[in-house]
Amino acid sequence: MSLFSRLFDAIGDTASTAFSGIVEAVRTVFSGDPETRRRVAFSIAVIALSAKMAKADGIVAPEEVRAFQEIFTVPEAEAQNVARLYNLAKQDVAGYEIYAQRVAGMCGSGVANCAMLEDVLDGLFHIAKADGVIHHKELEFIANVADIFRVDEAHFDRILARHVHPDGIDPYAVLGLAVTTPFDEVKKRYRALASESHPDRLRARGVPDEFLTIANDRMAALNDAFAVIEKARAAA
């Protein structure tokens, strides 16, 4: 039996009326398998937040659904269950804040700027920009989620710079540095961020393989930012 099938089988009819029941059941159903529990909890939380964010501007665009599928490559055996979860999340009357709080809890109480939560935010941005523009309501949604995640302003600005750049990408903003930062410090920051964003590090944080598109996108943004700075400094 597949992971999500086990979950639905354990919950029964309650899943037809409240997505929150599924979220609460993860710890019980996978109590003897912490790694699987963490992976399923992460997946379900992102499904919920993705579905609710896609409706933030009032319309769930086909591009947003496809973007969700890009970062959540669903095995054929799980496709029906994931679709059911996604639709339940859209319909549940509970606000997105409850799901964001539960995701934040996976990093432990009081942890700020948790790397796994940054992975979630990157996934939400990936979906929000899929239709060519990030609606202000979607941006407000993600910013509110980041606040619940206890991501501080400087950290969020760095995440934002990877995804929202109407006037062109600012390589220093992507790395979270001032333009006057010495090149040795630029290189040090780049290497630290690249190490933290490596797919193997995401796996270690419990991020499912389905979400490694996030790591690839982030690495590309970091590499491009560093290359631009390096070229500019060499020419100076």
Side-chain angles (χ1 to χ4, degrees):
M1 184 180 292
S2 70
L3 295 179
F4 292 130
S5 292
R6 285 173 59 191
L7 202 55
F8 277 116
D9 188 58
I11 295 170
D13 293 338
T14 59
S16 66
T17 57
F19 189 94
S20 56
I22 296 175
V23 178
E24 291 293 346
V26 172
R27 292 180 182 177
T28 302
V29 176
F30 302 104
S31 59
D33 187 349
E35 183 176 346
T36 298
R37 183 175 69 244
R38 185 170 60 249
R39 181 160 57 91
V40 173
F42 183 97
S43 300
I44 287 178
V46 174
I47 290 170
L49 291 174
S50 298
K52 290 178 180 297
M53 191 209 59
K55 290 191 68 177
D57 59 357
I59 301 172
V60 181
E63 295 87 350
E64 292 173 326
V65 176
R66 285 196 293 271
F68 170 76
Q69 293 169 342
E70 286 174 7
I71 62 169
F72 200 98
T73 306
V74 182
E76 186 175 350
E78 295 282 23
Q80 186 175 355
N81 284 323
V82 170
R84 184 179 176 189
L85 287 166
Y86 192 87
N87 289 329
L88 281 172
K90 287 193 301 182
Q91 297 167 11
D92 198 342
V93 296
Y96 68 87
E97 294 89 351
I98 189 171
Y99 301 115
Q101 289 164 1
R102 290 189 175 118
V103 182
M106 289 193 292
C107 270
S109 177
V111 176
N113 298 326
C114 170
M116 188 191 70
L117 300 183
E118 181 175 347
D119 301 334
V120 176
L121 294 175
D122 269 333
L124 295 179
F125 269 117
H126 182 83
I127 293 167
K129 64 186 181 183
D131 55 359
V133 61
I134 297 182
H135 193 278
H136 72 90
K137 288 188 178 297
E138 293 174 322
L139 186 56
E140 181 180 353
F141 178 99
I142 297 174
N144 287 340
V145 170
D147 188 53
I148 294 171
F149 283 178
R150 298 196 62 187
V151 173
D152 64 37
E153 185 175 354
H155 204 86
F156 182 73
D157 285 346
R158 181 160 57 78
I159 299 170
L160 184 67
R162 293 200 293 265
H163 300 281
V164 182
H165 31 75
D167 300 320
I169 295 176
D170 181 345
Y172 288 96
V174 171
L175 298 180
L177 297 171
V179 177
T180 56
T181 303
F183 186 67
D184 284 347
E185 291 299 317
V186 172
K187 186 184 297 185
K188 183 178 179 180
R189 172 63 69 85
Y190 161 71
R191 288 175 174 171
L193 293 175
S195 176
E196 188 66 30
S197 302
H198 192 279
D200 288 345
R201 296 292 292 273
L202 269 72
R203 288 189 182 96
R205 295 197 287 267
V207 176
D209 286 346
E210 292 89 349
F211 285 87
L212 295 186
T213 296
I214 295 171
N216 295 332
D217 288 349
R218 187 187 303 166
M219 284 297 299
L222 294 173
N223 290 339
D224 289 347
F226 181 73
V228 168
I229 295 173
E230 186 176 38
K231 183 177 180 180
R233 295 294 180 95

